[in-house]
Amino acid sequence: MLTLVVWIYVLAVPLWIGIWWSATGFRLMRHNRLLALPFLLSLVYVIGNALLVAVFGGLSEATYEEGRYVFITDRAMIAVQATASVLIVATIVYGLSIRRVPVHFIRFMVYAFVALLGVMAPILWIPAQEAEFFFVLRHVQSIGLNFGLFLCVAGIVVLLQDLLRHGDAEVSLLGGMHDVPRSGTASADRDHDKS
């Protein structure tokens, strides 16, 4: 079973790359370098978990594995609630200020929901005496939680960049701030200063 779990993590790497490509993450990374952070951190966690299982892994009792499910489920519920809150607030802000649909943000959020709920919500009944199946399922759910969290972070980064781009000030998420006056206001301010 340890070998199977390591292979699941190994296969999660190209899966993550495919999901990121499908969410147009690579194209968006050309214009928003901060998106490299969630992309790379997700890979670090997947590869790190694979190494931990390969080096220190060992099958444990069913009760131990069941206790890990509570931990994963709690984390997933926090992520789902946070994602839903961000989605609602972003929709309101976009509707009131920018008045257009945040396509890339919504795409990342949908992928995050699919990763979090699609892997976490279904119930797979496992015989109590088959602790190794609990072990495998826990790691599959860990991958889903990992993907969901970092897709959510990527969506928030895209949203913030979009809001800053359409706001009154040009602010880089990587540092620096430059005031960009709205069209017509700079000349009006100059005329006011002269009088």
Side-chain angles (χ1 to χ4, degrees):
M1 284 294 173
L2 287 176
T3 307
L4 175 63
V5 170
V6 171
W7 273 106
I8 288 171
Y9 279 113
V10 168
L11 293 174
V13 171
L15 178 63
W16 172 248
I17 292 170
I19 290 170
W20 193 260
W21 175 82
S22 178
T24 66
F26 290 112
R27 186 167 59 85
L28 293 173
M29 278 169 62
R30 283 186 242 146
H31 306 290
N32 188 344
R33 292 175 300 175
L34 199 58
L35 280 173
L37 202 59
F39 174 73
L40 293 174
L41 280 175
S42 182
L43 286 177
V44 165
Y45 276 92
V46 167
I47 293 167
N49 279 337
L51 292 173
L52 286 171
V53 170
V55 175
F56 300 107
L59 297 177
S60 49
E61 298 294 322
T63 53
Y64 175 82
E65 294 298 332
E66 287 173 348
R68 304 293 67 84
Y69 286 112
V70 173
F71 176 77
I72 292 172
T73 306
D74 289 347
R75 293 286 175 101
M77 286 309 301
I78 292 169
V80 167
Q81 290 167 356
T83 304
S85 302
V86 168
L87 191 56
I88 291 166
V89 170
T91 305
I92 293 169
V93 169
Y94 262 81
L96 294 175
S97 60
I98 298 175
R99 298 184 186 192
R100 70 181 182 81
V101 178
V103 177
H104 299 300
F105 167 72
I106 290 174
R107 184 180 297 120
F108 275 114
M109 290 298 111
V110 168
Y111 278 57
F113 272 118
V114 169
L116 290 167
L117 295 177
V119 176
M120 305 301 296
I123 296 173
L124 186 59
W125 296 107
I126 296 174
Q129 67 272 17
E130 302 293 342
E132 59 269 8
F133 292 161
F134 282 106
F135 179 74
V136 172
L137 183 61
R138 171 169 60 96
H139 288 285
V140 169
Q141 288 189 331
S142 295
I143 291 169
L145 179 61
N146 181 54
F147 286 3
L149 290 175
F150 287 110
L151 286 166
C152 183
V153 170
I156 292 169
V157 167
V158 167
L159 176 71
L160 290 175
Q161 187 72 33
D162 209 22
L163 288 172
L164 292 173
R165 187 180 303 126
H166 292 92
D168 289 341
E170 184 181 305
V171 180
S172 169
L173 292 176
L174 297 174
M177 181 173 170
H178 312 285
D179 288 333
V180 178
R182 290 187 178 195
S183 59
T185 55
S187 59
D189 289 341
R190 266 187 257 114
D191 292 342
H192 178 70
D193 290 339
K194 288 178 183 175
S195 57

